[in-house]
Amino acid sequence: MASMRDRIKQLVPGQVTDRVRESMVHYGVRTSDRRPLPDFLIIGTKRGGTTSLWNYLIQHPLVPRLFPAWNTKASHYFEEHWSRGEAWYRSHFPTQRQRDALSARHGGLVRVGEAAPLYMFHPTAAERVQALMPQVRLIALLRDPVERAYSHWKERRTEGKEPLDFAQALAAEPERSAGERERLIADPGYFSEPYDWYTYRARGRYLEHLEPWLARFDRSQFLFLTSEEFYGDTRDAYRRTLEFLELPGHEPAAFKVYNDRRSAPMDEQLRAELTDYFQPYNDALARRLDLRLDWAGSSR
């Protein structure tokens, strides 16, 4: 009779039933003590290129996918599934035996991770990550917050989760998200869709959300990339990422852009308003991280 591991290898996403999925989860949890915690996290930002970077990384022979193989890029443990516990989290990653086999086959250290852009924005994720994985490496992609906000709105609009136009959505944001951050802090098992879906402006105040991470992790554990440099010279940004993770050089078959959303340009009056709004936040971010930000309205 085929082992559970052999059965997993034979499956493709389109063949996955709820019963099979449940069996895989149980198998992962049962073997969680053999599954080391990840080495790196891509913590943000939403609509900043995290899906593209993740897909380039898992083409590297020493970066395995999450378990089971149909998982896209994240467990969402530190924001949505915290109450499921550490064994559940470990169940998403390869076993030590699988790591060792990859290392022997390709020569070099295996690096396991996930990409969850809500981690950076969630008010308790940094504390949770630090408690479980104090040595983890952290990658943050930071996009011009004006463009990020508009791209975020386009995604929600396309998905049918946003009935308002962009100007209306920006105006409604304070009421929609009121009290959600406080509830997330007060209730460890709570997950907030409004806090994830409708925070177009708030998520662009990057330093506000990075400070809890910077307070808990050494600066050497971070790699900060702007989305503009990532897409402007993807090959170099990818090389820098591999160096940060101490992975040998590698190049994907192609640097395909994932989750690109074309649309009509942003209203210029809204663009000007958002540019003015974000300028002091961008300047503070640039000073704090010693970054050069080629974003409209930024002085550095």
Side-chain angles (χ1 to χ4, degrees):
M1 181 179 293
S3 68
M4 179 64 74
R5 187 169 59 186
D6 291 336
R7 289 163 59 196
I8 293 168
K9 290 178 180 178
Q10 294 168 6
L11 291 170
V12 295
Q15 298 172 326
V16 178
T17 65
D18 289 342
R19 184 174 180 180
V20 169
R21 190 182 300 275
E22 185 178 351
S23 295
M24 298 301 102
V25 171
H26 287 320
Y27 172 73
V29 172
R30 287 199 310 271
T31 57
S32 62
D33 60 335
R34 308 173 214 164
R35 301 176 182 275
L37 291 165
D39 307 291
F40 72 91
L41 300 174
I42 303 175
I43 61 172
T45 185
K46 183 172 184 61
R47 306 303 303 162
T50 58
T51 300
S52 293
L53 179 57
W54 173 253
N55 278 280
Y56 304 153
L57 284 171
I58 60 175
Q59 293 180 55
H60 195 289
L62 291 168
V63 182
R65 293 173 177 268
L66 272 65
F67 173 87
W70 57 79
N71 274 340
T72 52
K73 62 178 183 177
S75 69
H76 300 288
Y77 176 58
F78 294 103
E79 16 92 341
E80 185 173 0
H81 300 300
W82 179 246
S83 61
R84 292 177 181 265
E86 183 180 339
W88 182 88
Y89 184 53
R90 286 178 179 268
S91 75
H92 290 78
F93 305 106
T95 63
Q96 186 62 56
R97 181 177 178 181
Q98 291 166 332
R99 282 178 171 244
D100 293 343
L102 273 182
S103 182
R105 186 180 312 136
H106 300 290
L109 293 173
V110 169
R111 294 300 190 193
V112 174
E114 62 170 335
L118 185 53
Y119 285 174
M120 188 175 86
F121 185 54
H122 193 280
T124 64
E127 179 181 357
R128 293 170 174 178
V129 172
Q130 194 274 336
L132 188 61
M133 304 183 298
Q135 302 304 316
V136 73
R137 302 186 188 207
L138 304 163
I139 301 171
L141 285 154
L142 305 174
R143 183 179 182 181
D144 180 337
V146 176
E147 299 297 337
R148 195 222 66 80
Y150 191 46
S151 182
H152 185 173
W153 171 81
K154 287 188 292 182
E155 180 184 67
R156 293 307 178 210
R157 187 80 162 179
T158 302
E159 293 173 345
K161 295 172 180 174
E162 177 53 90
L164 305 179
D165 69 27
F166 189 43
Q168 292 170 332
L170 288 171
E173 180 177 334
E175 182 178 356
R176 282 170 150 182
S177 60
E180 293 300 298
R181 184 176 179 85
E182 292 76 15
R183 186 174 174 185
L184 286 166
I185 294 170
D187 182 355
Y190 179 59
F191 176 73
S192 171
E193 287 182 344
Y195 189 76
D196 182 15
W197 289 0
Y198 303 130
T199 44
Y200 307 112
R201 195 186 296 262
R203 286 177 86 142
R205 299 193 298 262
Y206 298 129
L207 185 56
E208 176 183 321
H209 312 300
L210 281 170
E211 284 292 7
W213 297 87
L214 293 166
R216 290 173 170 83
F217 297 92
D218 189 80
R219 184 65 172 81
S220 64
Q221 291 175 249
F222 292 92
L223 175 65
F224 294 105
L225 297 169
T226 68
S227 304
E228 291 73 21
E229 66 181 324
F230 175 64
Y231 284 120
D233 191 347
T234 306
R235 182 171 282 100
D236 182 65
Y238 184 61
R239 176 191 59 77
R240 289 169 57 194
T241 304
L242 296 185
E243 289 179 354
F244 173 69
L245 296 176
E246 297 182 315
L247 285 165
H250 176 265
E251 190 154 318
F255 286 111
K256 172 186 173 183
V257 176
Y258 292 79
N259 284 352
D260 190 24
R261 295 181 185 273
R262 304 291 180 180
S263 71
M266 192 189 313
D267 175 81
E268 287 305 313
Q269 186 173 348
L270 270 180
R271 180 185 295 280
E273 188 273 321
L274 285 172
T275 298
D276 289 344
Y277 173 82
F278 281 119
Q279 180 172 347
Y281 297 104
N282 295 344
D283 290 346
L285 176 72
R287 289 192 298 270
R288 179 74 166 89
L289 301 183
D290 193 24
L291 293 177
R292 178 170 183 81
L293 302 175
D294 293 324
W295 299 340
S298 297
S299 61
R300 292 187 65 179

